[in-house]
Amino acid sequence: DDLTHKGAKNFVLRASDLFDPASSSSKMPAASFFEAPTVINYEKEQVLAPHYDANRSADVEDANRGGQTLSTLLVYLNDVENGGTTRFGKLPAADYVRQVKGERNLNIIPRRGDALLFFPADKDGVFDERTEHEGCPAVDEKWIARIWRHTGEVPPPFGLSS
């Protein structure tokens, strides 16, 4: 199990290196704004319906886990030969090697070791409806690690204890 507490903490610390602290006046380490990583296994043909990672009512509904989700980092843990893409139905396709060819919307092919970083809300926590996304069915199973960064400190059990 690579995501023991020590491994999970290292994953959060490395992910937090991608960002500045929430504010220059913050005395909390940047890692305290992240939820603990979640490893997700999609079995053969399993899907995740279109959804948002941010929330229009985050100040109330997500207050106990750090408030609004500012960013999502997905790390693909295995190659998925067919299907299993991460599709953004409200964003146009990109000229990118992992983009599904012929698809009019952004649709990313999972490859082991690749990471997908996106921002379901802006830096002020304003919800971005364009980031609705889904996990499309995979012919084989798919494994990802997911981590979310929030506007505020994420207390245990959602965040990692020090």
Side-chain angles (χ1 to χ4, degrees), residues 44-117:
K44 183 178 178 176
E45 298 299 322
Q46 187 176 358
V47 300
L48 182 59
H51 66 282
Y52 298 100
D53 290 351
N55 185 335
R56 285 186 175 93
S57 304
D59 290 345
V60 174
E61 293 182 23
D62 296 329
N64 67 334
R65 60 183 193 97
Q68 184 66 280
T69 303
L70 296 179
S71 64
T72 298
L73 177 65
L74 301 178
V75 178
Y76 298 105
L77 302 177
N78 69 314
D79 289 328
V80 181
E81 294 305 318
N82 293 297
T85 60
T86 303
R87 182 176 183 275
F88 292 80
K90 297 181 179 182
L91 290 174
D95 184 18
Y96 175 64
V97 67
R98 297 283 186 249
Q99 166 69 39
V100 174
K101 304 300 180 220
E103 173 76 35
R104 67 180 201 139
N105 295 105
L106 185 61
N107 199 353
I108 303 299
I109 300 168
R111 290 291 179 255
R112 181 181 180 179
D114 281 358
L116 174 62
L117 175 65

Side-chain angles (χ1 to χ4, degrees), residues 89-153:
K90 297 181 179 182
L91 290 174
D95 184 18
Y96 175 64
V97 67
R98 297 283 186 249
Q99 166 69 39
V100 174
K101 304 300 180 220
E103 173 76 35
R104 67 180 201 139
N105 295 105
L106 185 61
N107 199 353
I108 303 299
I109 300 168
R111 290 291 179 255
R112 181 181 180 179
D114 281 358
L116 174 62
L117 175 65
F118 62 96
F119 303 91
D122 71 15
K123 67 181 179 63
D124 298 317
V126 177
F127 176 84
D128 186 347
E129 69 178 42
R130 299 172 301 165
T131 61
E132 179 186 57
H133 59 288
E134 64 185 301
C136 297
V139 172
D140 298 314
E141 69 180 348
K142 171 181 160 182
W143 289 86
I144 64 169
R146 179 199 66 216
I147 187 169
W148 284 321
R149 185 182 191 278
H150 292 275
T151 54
E153 183 177 10

